[in-house]
């Protein structure tokens, strides 16, 4: 019997307009495409329109990434009747304006982290998000690492009390992509575009993860920022993450931090030690988290992302030890939708899980998490670290 | 400027008909869908038709997995004019008939491993494949693990001579999904459907990988097969990989091996030690490979699939050591199409890479690898292991 | 108050004569010296006399290693009235004669492994040992790795039933010290002196460990032996483990195996896979053991010797995982005598523990383990592997 | 030929008097005993006299640890004519007085770390040491971890420039022995005896190691101290490291820190992040060091103490990776004196190497390192961390 596969008739569409199509745009596209193939979603995401300034490039990206149409002006994209949700994948300096315009136009918003480049902008966004929420329009900030199964499992174990009282939080985000002084300038090294450097780009992730997993907030910090290489060659093509300097000998100033480290205090009393750097030679994307509690400990490293290490202090001494939990069992968060045990997931799956959670929340009328308010709070921690680095003393994080 | 994204006009379509939609069908679907989104392909894969016996189930699968239409009779699917390639994801007992029919109908064939349940069937398939090739119709067997970047890198290092003369090959494929005697019978535990047990299902992978990476063939073997649990509860739903026994107390005989181990000799003189088991409690999908050569060594474990360990014996003693190569650099095989360094890939990416290589070969008119002849040769090794286990002596693998 | 430390008056002396002073002699000396300093022993070991053929060299060794006197003829040493125990650290070809002479002279014997170079010799030694035992004269073979705390813990967990029914034993002893074809000949590469190569030297250890930890015996084997490099330069100084070829261009034949691998069957039904090699480039002293049972699994690697990995299949799926047990807790075997948790032990501590166990057994009049009969049984497994490699078929191990 | 082993006639004796015989005393005793057995020393250490207040206990310890005589008054020990060197293994509050008295009496001094409980005491000790040095009387502080082969190799690689310019120093010393609030009080938890808690006891080690390996000094710090458990049961036997509370319900105040963390700046510009804690549940003695430089990186963890990880950024991307260097080759520092490759060393070997270096320096008339001045500088860093924790701002370390 030959049949044509019918469309998913019973579910409402969720028509997505995405702005930006570089690294994050590619990851989000794969997520919108894959989520309904593996998860039973209450809405049917449609990759409706892709926004970008350069007509030729955005057209090319739309074809490659699978978007049905394009807009060269994000304001047009935001206004379109056939768009229900705006997915913001641009550099941080444009998040505030796009997000607020979209929310006011009645569109749900998924906004990449960091929420904004300044606390003031983030505060404006939170106000807009809260106003929109009263009209059933929702927003979410994209801290996708929360949705790595091993990390979601970590959150779960802490929430179940398996760690007891948390005393230590150790968090590092280590990369090395500009350890070479000849690596060219990019927008990520310019304060106007990126807001900050390692601190905001990757430090934001470990701040969010540490707070999310512990269920606690950071109340004060003492930090230091470093810019080890103060001038870099200007790349011919100055738009992307990567690129080589080519023949250009022109140098430009690096206006953000190369590395940030800070001590922190959590509401629950835990002592935190954080470090984010792009100069950890040999570490490519090492998000390392360790928690020590009165009943147990956890350790995670994104370079082995399907594994969570867990020490249960209630085991007897003879056989106690850090367990290498391969977080690929059907009982682990998100995993049942994928492959049999031991068949690991990759980086992009976190984005797919983000779409899954977001769609469920939108369909259920629930405010998604992390909210813009959560994003603002991370922003306040980042700002406190910067102030602390300037004043050379501890700095409170406003509640 | 608003634009509708045009189709990929310049590239010919490659219209795929897939038979089977369980575990392998889901993996292949994601591959067909994702490959053109990340790789610049010379043909445009179209997910045309999905085949399966049960009309309701196949319709449901087609909608979930994204196939445009369905057929309940694979012969109809194979004959369809709008199918260029048949992708066979059924149990091994049907491979031979489907593949030969498809090749004779002028369709390219991608066939899951093991190629067939018997050497005789595999020989028929090779004959059909060779005849088809003279008419420009190509075939490939799905040893996808070759396309894990760390493994492709291993192949490359050996080919470059970085290991020198290979002396030892150590290969294990360890799972534990039936270590519990209460795990139910499934088609994978029945000889008629599955051909063999751990040996053919997972042993086939490490035989292929060991031969592929070394560039050598196994010439003789001495093996032992074990069936530790000889009877198992019959599951209510008896069709899939997983499932629980429910209330059924009826027991059925396990007619395949639970575990296989064998010694091997390679053409180049290396000594091999292989082990495939579904009883390695705590190991979920541990494909472990080690090669020791006169100039260096390699080690790989799929439970940490983005890593290849490499020992270079030409380094001085002071700093020599196994290097943990995170195979996520743009210079590593397949990786440039994906994410920045350190953002690991998962299980399904191997299937996407398989599609990429296959499409390039088909567009270029080149015979893809691994060929059906490669699949037959693996089948001969499997058969020799079985014979050796019966005769309790070494057994030659026919050339 | 000034005092002179009195001797340990209440404990009887155990006066030791040791024959041989190379690698093993140094390890045994450190053990005799250290044991009474950390453990509360019922006898007081005295390092009475060291035996060796070359008067100058043995005198030098005695001074360095701390022996009170020397003998150049082992027969004199064995006869001395002031010797209670003879510790045999010579190559395997002399074990039989020395051990039997010593036992007949009423001396306890500690004999390095392998017990002998042939089964026939080993049988003679067992007869002598059993006869001596009836006169209260005891003997032990030096499989020291049994006394690494992590391994003793492994034995304990199996004995407690934590692994359930054992199905798989995977054992490798990997070295690389002659992977370079220019590494010179040494007595360890000559059949007359060493008996066999990798098989007897290091394969003997993993055979003993596998049987000891499981509490099971190997009943049959199928093996292959390899000599990858058949001729080697003759070293100027041809007596020791290490050394370089110097200018000598003279080549000599290697008359033992470079590597051995074999399949095995255990009395309890487990399937074994063993491998011993001196050609595993980059592996220095990797004794790797893995056991898979119905209730759990164990893994050990001597290159991280203070760690035992343990998987408990009775944990729930959510948090099950291989535990990295740091075997340095006071509750772990032998550890309480040493340092606080986390302060690891080294290679030589196994020898110290061997002395501790031996002294306790002698003082208590109990036959020490492993006995000469245990050593003979290992020898029979070695012989069966050799025969199997010759006959190309499975070989029974005589009970 | 029978001979009596003559004494080591040609070498002068180095007669040692040791004060204290607990954990450190046992480690030092094993070092004095073992050093001449494995290393060719220019002097012959003699374990002459052991000092301790309680006559019975010190006599018992002397017999167990192998000291020829005892003194119950350390002043008598220091004055004895048959003592050339005083080895101080007591709690920190007595270091200053014993060391200065010994130096003034013309005895060399080896003093356990931390050098003293206060900067003022340490300054007095440096003055005494410098005065003594002009008379050929030398002193050394016992930062033994410098002599772990993998760490000595780390120092060497940095000194050779293999890391380039150091940008990050990450150092943690993690233990968990008082994570349980019921663990009893001990002298290590009292400020009067111990000076400080985790900071001085274990933080001192990582400060020394970080400075030693980089060859740099810490110039300023921002720190936080924590006492998570402020009262603990008073143990019946209150003298040792371990012990249980028994029935005693009496509670005593913890007057030192349980954990310390601090940011640091090095003279060479590197950013440091340090953490020392006794509350890292599951970590037993994890001294973890990571250095990231412009040309490479290093990583070390004492829980796998025979391994140094090294990333060489000058390798090509394809095969670059952290190398797991097993620091057991004869070319590695100190290793040639011990066992063949892969036969790892343990905790106590660092103490033996300390004796070896000290004896060579004394025989050669060279000032040993680390000197008391080095110990004072570490003390100043500790004091700056404490002040910083009090003032909640960065603190300079006096040069």
């Amino acid at each position: 019997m030959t049949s044509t596969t019918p469309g998913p008739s019973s579910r409402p569409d969720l028509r997505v307009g995405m702005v930006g199509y570089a690294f994050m745009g590619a990851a989000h596209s794969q997520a919108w495409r894959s989520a309904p193939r593996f998860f039973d979603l209450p809405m049917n995401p449609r990759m409706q329109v892709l926004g970008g300034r350069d007509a030729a490039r955005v057209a090319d990206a739309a074809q490659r990434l699978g978007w049905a149409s394009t807009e060269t002006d994000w304001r047009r994209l935001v206004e379109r009747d056939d768009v229900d949700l705006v997915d913001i994948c641009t550099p941080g300096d444009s998040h505030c304006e796009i997000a607020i315009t979209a929310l006011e136009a009645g569109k749900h918003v998924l906004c990449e982290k960091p929420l904004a480049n300044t606390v003031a902008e983030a505060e404006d966004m939170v106000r807009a998000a809260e106003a929109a929420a009263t009209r059933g329009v929702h927003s979410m900030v994209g801290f996708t690492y929360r949705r790595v199964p091993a990390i979601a499992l970590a959150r779960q174990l802490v929430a179940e009390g398996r760690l007891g009282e948390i005393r230590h939080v150790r968090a590092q985000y280590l990369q090395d992509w500009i350890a070479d002084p000849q690596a060219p300038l990019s927008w990520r090294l310019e304060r106007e575009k990126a807001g900050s450097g390692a601190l905001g780009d990757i430090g934001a992730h470990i701040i969010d993860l540490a707070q999310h997993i512990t269920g606690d907030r950071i109340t004060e910090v003492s930090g230091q920022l470093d810019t080890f290489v103060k001038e870099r060659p200007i790349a011919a093509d100055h738009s992307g993450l990567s690129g080589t300097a080519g023949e250009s000998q022109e140098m430009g100033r690096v206006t953000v931090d190369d590395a940030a480290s800070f001590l922190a205090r959590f509401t629950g009393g835990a002592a935190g030690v954080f470090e984010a750097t792009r100069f950890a030679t040999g570490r490519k994307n090492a998000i390392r988290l360790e928690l020590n509690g009165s009943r147990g400990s956890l350790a995670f490293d994104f370079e082995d992302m399907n594994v969570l290490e867990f020490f249960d202090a209630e085991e007897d001494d003879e056989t106690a030890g850090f367990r290498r939990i391969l977080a690929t069992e059907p009982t682990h968060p998100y995993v049942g939708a994928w492959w049999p045990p031991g068949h690991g997931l990759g980086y992009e799956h976190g984005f797919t899980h983000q779409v899954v959670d977001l769609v469920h929340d939108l369909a259920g009328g629930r405010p998604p998490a992390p909210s813009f308010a959560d994003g603002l709070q991370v922003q306040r921690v980042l700002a406190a670290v910067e102030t602390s680095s300037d004043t050379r003393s501890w700095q409170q994080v406003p509640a």
Side-chain angles (χ1 to χ4, degrees), chain A:
Chain A
M1 196 182 77
T2 305
S3 305
T4 303
T5 307
S9 54
S10 57
R11 305 172 198 183
D13 280 347
L14 178 70
R15 296 162 301 177
V16 179
M18 186 172 83
V19 194
Y21 49 81
F23 173 23
M24 278 302 104
H28 283 233
S29 298
Q30 179 71 348
W32 289 114
R33 179 166 39 247
S34 300
R37 300 304 174 192
F38 289 89
F39 292 82
D40 190 22
L41 297 185
M43 300 177 85
N44 183 41
R46 300 190 69 87
M47 297 168 72
Q48 202 77 354
V49 50
L50 180 66
R53 275 171 298 189
D54 182 301
R57 294 177 114 176
V58 73
D60 188 64
Q63 191 174 324
R64 184 167 40 82
L65 301 176
W67 294 85
S69 63
T70 56
E71 292 287 353
T72 52
D73 178 352
W74 64 261
R75 293 179 186 278
R76 289 286 313 268
L77 181 147
V78 161
E79 287 159 11
R80 275 172 60 156
D81 285 346
D82 62 348
V83 166
D84 303 313
L85 181 147
V86 175
D87 183 357
I88 306 175
C89 293
T90 54
D93 60 336
S94 56
H95 288 184
C96 180
E97 194 176 13
I98 302 175
I100 291 175
T101 309
L103 288 166
E104 289 175 350
K107 317 295 185 180
H108 304 300
V109 173
L110 169 60
C111 182
E112 258 308 311
K113 50 54 55 187
L115 187 60
N117 279 1
T118 66
V119 168
E121 283 178 338
E123 286 171 341
D124 289 347
M125 293 169 79
V126 169
R127 269 189 295 272
E130 289 173 352
T134 64
R135 303 187 307 269
V137 174
H138 291 295
S139 48
M140 186 185 191
V141 61
F143 287 116
T144 50
Y145 287 111
R146 290 185 175 199
R147 271 96 181 181
V148 171
I151 286 179
L153 175 60
R155 167 68 194 131
Q156 200 174 297
L157 293 175
V158 172
E160 290 167 10
R162 300 291 295 268
L163 261 65
E165 188 184 330
I166 310 272
R167 279 127 173 198
H168 289 290
V169 176
R170 210 165 289 119
Q172 296 148 15
Y173 199 143
L174 309 179
Q175 299 184 332
D176 73 353
W177 58 280
I178 52 169
D180 179 352
Q182 290 309 306
L185 264 188
S186 82
W187 70 262
R188 287 181 188 272
L189 306 188
E190 294 176 45
R191 173 164 287 275
E192 307 75 47
K193 284 271 174 87
S196 76
L199 179 63
D201 182 23
I202 56 179
H205 277 302
I206 50 175
I207 291 167
D208 179 67
L209 287 176
Q211 296 189 136
H212 173 62
I213 296 173
T214 58
D216 254 0
R217 296 261 150 149
I218 292 171
T219 58
E220 46 183 353
V221 295
S222 171
Q224 65 182 342
L225 300 182
D226 277 288
T227 303
F228 296 114
V229 174
K230 295 185 174 53
E231 290 206 321
R232 289 182 177 277
I234 295 173
D237 173 358
H238 190 195
S239 60
L241 170 67
S242 60
T244 55
E247 294 104 75
S248 162
Q249 294 302 326
E250 207 185 337
M251 302 293 277
R253 267 189 68 227
V254 174
T255 48
V256 299
D257 56 288
D258 288 335
S261 48
F262 61 97
L263 309 178
R265 181 66 54 188
F266 285 77
T267 40
V273 181
F274 289 76
E275 196 177 357
T277 179
R278 294 161 167 170
F279 274 71
T281 306
R283 303 296 179 193
K284 301 307 175 180
N285 204 50
I287 303 173
R288 305 197 296 200
L289 300 164
E290 280 189 79
L291 273 69
N292 304 125
S294 56
R295 287 185 59 198
S297 289
L298 290 175
F300 173 83
D301 185 342
F302 191 77
E303 289 192 353
D304 197 4
M305 67 169 277
N306 291 292
V307 168
L308 180 68
E309 291 185 86
F310 171 47
F311 183 89
D312 184 345
E314 311 213 330
E315 283 161 7
D316 57 62
D317 277 0
E318 194 180 68
T319 58
F322 274 85
R323 301 178 195 180
R324 194 179 177 273
I325 304 172
L326 201 54
T328 59
E329 294 295 310
T331 52
H332 290 140
Y334 306 106
V335 174
W338 297 100
W339 315 114
H343 297 70
L345 302 186
Y347 167 68
E348 76 229 42
H349 292 79
F351 291 89
T352 301
H353 303 160
Q354 176 171 274
V355 159
V356 169
D357 289 343
L358 176 58
V359 170
H360 275 287
D361 285 339
L362 292 179
R366 289 184 300 271
S371 67
F372 277 18
D374 294 325
L376 166 61
Q377 194 271 344
V378 170
Q379 215 68 26
R380 284 180 172 146
V381 176
L382 298 174
V385 172
E386 291 203 325
T387 306
S388 164
S389 176
D390 290 344
T391 61
R392 316 265 302 152
S393 64
W394 282 79
Q395 193 68 24
Q396 301 284 326
V397 179

